Amino acid sequence: MYIKSSRMTNHKYKQRQALFDANGVFPDKTDTSWQFVNSGGLEQTRQQALYVEMSQNRVRTPARITREQTFALITRCHAALHGSGDLAFSGFTADATIKSERLATRELSEVDSALQACVMHNNRLQQTEHADG
């Protein structure tokens, strides 16, 4: 049913579902993360970061997404991936197994390394800005 439905191509639906999976409970409607995803903010930001658009006779490039916005989204995604644990590896029934936990631990280690590289790069850029400023 899910594979054949339009939900597989609906990014906003998938983002809401991923947020639900990462939190483990249905989010509170007043939660800012839920409001951001549910209103389409994450999907809009994703599109803005990837595509050149024409809006009101102006070309808009991905450069309008700032480093701070990008870093905030990367940090949110990192937290969501950790929140989802081994769900991506636990099969259709989403039951944790020794294998799913091992695979998740390995992949989350890669996610942590990638975030650490982003943090170090962001810190270097901030230090450069302060030195120039």
Side-chain angles (χ1 to χ4, degrees), residues 71 110-124:
F71 190 71
E110 292 289 324
V111 167
D112 291 342
S113 295
L115 179 67
Q116 188 57 39
C118 287
V119 167
M120 290 178 3
H121 179 70
N122 191 51
N123 289 344
R124 280 193 302 271

Side-chain angles (χ1 to χ4, degrees), residues 37-55:
V37 171
N38 193 46
S39 70
L42 181 58
E43 176 57 16
Q44 182 180 9
T45 303
R46 183 189 75 80
Q47 289 181 14
Q48 289 172 349
L50 292 174
Y51 304 112
V52 174
E53 311 176 339
M54 182 70 141
S55 175

Side-chain angles (χ1 to χ4, degrees), residues 5-45:
S5 75
S6 63
R7 291 180 174 178
M8 293 303 288
T9 57
N10 181 337
H11 293 297
K12 189 174 157 184
Y13 169 80
K14 291 188 290 186
Q15 291 163 0
R16 284 192 308 254
Q17 189 63 39
L19 182 62
F20 168 75
D21 291 341
N23 289 335
V25 295
F26 198 75
D28 181 354
K29 300 290 186 191
T30 61
D31 178 68
T32 56
S33 293
W34 174 255
Q35 289 175 351
F36 178 66
V37 171
N38 193 46
S39 70
L42 181 58
E43 176 57 16
Q44 182 180 9
T45 303

Side-chain angles (χ1 to χ4, degrees), residues 95-106:
D95 292 327
T97 64
I98 293 170
K99 181 180 180 182
S100 68
E101 290 173 359
R102 179 177 43 81
L103 291 170
T105 298
R106 184 185 71 201

